[in-house]
Amino acid sequence: MLEKDTISIHLVREALLQSCAPGAATDEVLRKVGIDPALLDDAQARVPAHAYAQLWRLLARRLDDEFFGMDPRKLKSGSLAFLCQCAMAQPTLAAGLTAGLGFLSLMLEHLPAQWVRQQSLAEIVLLEDEQDPRRAFTYFTYWMIVHGVACWLAGRRIPILSVELRCPAPDFCDDYRVMFSQNLRFDRPRTRMIFAADCLDLPIRRSPEELKRFLARAPANILVKYRDPQSLSSRIRQDLRQLPAEQWPETEALAQQLCVSASTLRRRLAEEGQTYQGLKDSVRKELAIAWLAEPAISFVEIASRLGFADASSFYKAFRKWSGSNPGHYRTLILNDLS
């Protein structure tokens, strides 16, 4: 089984927690979707993504709840379809999000939400009460639905700059970082997702036939594939994170370190859908986003750490990566009371 086609057993446990009685009932459900119940005791186990999707659909049918029983009000079977129908009738993604979030806010008692545009950035904020936060899986399931539908409406993947959650970090976050963003922040005052605002103006042009195809494959088509931590691109990313940017090797030097030719390095990365320049840019973006959340680190220092000649060059690169300038992003991410 390829790692990229799998989901951690931790997410299987989370899906079962409130939606299926332990013991014989759990074993029966898992066997129906082709998952060995013994895997629940193996913290390193992974299951096929299609099996996890089948589990989601089976539990939704049995409970008549597409939200795993995690809210006092059921997200009844057919809710995802109705959400899509409401949203796709709108002219733009902004209007589609308004309709979709409005529907979910009516259906779910504990997770009312709204989106807000802040210059070049946008955020979807959960307007929760002051009760204890929900568990991480609840929030991530909500984001999976909202983000998955938004990407389908827009006809392209919408990059997430940051996800903040009120709850503590769970023991396992690896799959969540792949599905959403490397920049996950926990124990925050609010739960929100931040992304570039330019996508809000995208037109929605989806047909009933496209909706049928989308729903027929859901939720498998909104489960982002896992990245193998042993892949070449993952190992290069990890190595880059450990080095100051000025010490990052050029392609020839990196190939020599890996005991391959430069052409072989390029070919192997291409097979994983990557380039070395793309990997460097993604690590720079990841580090920049993390450092912008630290007010004591100046823009000049961030630019220097990332290997830019000056702050102006960093500004231009960050806008290219994220659609926003770093000043807007820092203001939004630090303004927890806005």
Side-chain angles (χ1 to χ4, degrees):
M1 182 191 306
L2 295 176
E3 287 287 296
K4 68 178 181 179
D5 297 321
T6 62
I7 298 291
S8 169
I9 198 67
H10 293 271
L11 273 67
V12 174
R13 287 202 209 102
E14 290 282 353
L16 294 168
L17 190 60
Q18 288 177 244
S19 57
C20 192
T26 290
D27 291 356
E28 179 207 355
V29 164
L30 291 177
R31 288 196 176 96
K32 273 186 175 291
V33 299
I35 298 174
D36 183 353
L39 294 178
L40 292 175
D41 297 321
D42 181 359
Q44 304 303 314
R46 302 189 66 82
V47 303
H50 67 81
Y52 185 76
Q54 286 180 303
L55 175 65
W56 184 319
R57 296 175 75 116
L58 176 60
L59 292 174
R61 289 196 303 271
R62 291 197 170 192
L63 291 171
D64 190 22
D65 186 351
E66 296 180 347
F67 203 60
F68 296 115
M70 295 186 295
D71 189 86
R73 298 177 187 161
K74 290 184 177 183
L75 194 61
K76 291 192 173 186
S77 295
S79 293
L80 178 61
F82 190 78
L83 167 64
C84 293
Q85 289 169 349
C86 290
M88 66 185 280
Q90 307 305 315
T92 65
L93 183 60
L97 275 176
T98 299
L101 294 175
F103 171 72
L104 289 175
S105 296
L106 285 173
M107 295 297 293
L108 299 173
E109 180 177 337
H110 286 165
L111 298 171
Q114 67 178 25
W115 70 265
V116 180
R117 192 169 196 154
Q118 303 272 15
Q119 299 183 50
S120 59
L121 294 169
E123 58 179 346
I124 299 173
V125 186
L126 296 184
L127 308 174
E128 298 179 271
D129 52 33
E130 296 303 317
Q131 296 181 11
D132 291 340
R134 281 71 199 169
R135 74 187 204 265
F137 181 75
T138 301
Y139 293 127
F140 283 124
T141 301
Y142 184 92
W143 292 134
M144 190 181 301
I145 294 171
V146 171
H147 185 246
V149 170
C151 292
W152 176 72
L153 291 171
R156 66 175 175 84
R157 181 165 179 79
I158 298 170
I160 299 170
L161 297 180
S162 178
V163 173
E164 297 186 347
L165 301 102
R166 291 177 60 222
C167 63
D171 292 337
F172 181 83
C173 281
D174 290 358
D175 282 33
Y176 295 142
R177 295 189 192 281
V178 172
M179 291 175 180
F180 300 101
S181 169
Q182 287 291 326
N183 189 31
L184 305 180
R185 304 173 74 208
F186 298 91
D187 293 308
R188 306 305 299 166
R190 300 178 298 177
T191 295
R192 58 181 178 168
M193 175 187 290
I194 299 172
F195 53 97
D198 58 357
C199 66
L200 293 171
D201 300 320
L202 292 171
I204 296 174
R205 297 191 182 96
R206 288 296 187 182
S207 68
E209 291 73 22
E210 289 173 314
L211 175 60
K212 288 179 184 178
R213 290 195 294 270
F214 175 74
L215 294 174
R217 295 192 294 265
N221 49 358
I222 59 176
L223 291 171
V224 180
K225 290 184 177 180
Y226 180 74
R227 296 187 193 121
D228 182 358
Q230 300 306 313
S231 70
L232 178 61
S233 55
S234 294
R235 284 183 284 143
I236 291 173
R237 274 196 186 93
Q238 186 59 32
D239 290 343
L240 293 176
R241 293 186 190 107
Q242 306 307 314
L243 291 172
E246 65 267 18
Q247 294 181 22
W248 288 359
E250 296 298 326
T251 303
E252 295 288 345
L254 176 61
Q256 188 173 12
Q257 291 175 16
L258 296 172
C259 302
V260 298
S261 68
S263 60
T264 298
L265 172 61
R266 293 189 188 95
R267 177 179 55 77
R268 289 179 59 186
L269 286 175
E271 289 171 353
E272 297 179 8
Q274 303 288 346
T275 66
Y276 184 41
Q277 185 61 52
L279 294 177
K280 289 190 290 185
D281 286 345
S282 70
V283 173
R284 282 195 175 99
K285 176 184 175 183
E286 175 189 328
L287 294 174
I289 285 174
W291 290 333
L292 286 169
E294 302 295 331
I297 308 176
S298 70
F299 294 133
V300 172
E301 183 176 353
I302 293 175
S304 176
R305 289 185 184 186
L306 295 176
F308 290 103
D310 50 40
S312 176
S313 299
F314 164 57
Y315 264 65
K316 291 177 182 177
F318 192 83
R319 177 173 285 280
K320 179 182 177 182
W321 298 331
S322 67
S324 170
N325 73 51
H328 290 167
Y329 181 79
R330 172 166 275 180
T331 298
L332 181 59
I333 204 72
L334 295 180
N335 188 7
D336 287 324
L337 298 179
S338 65

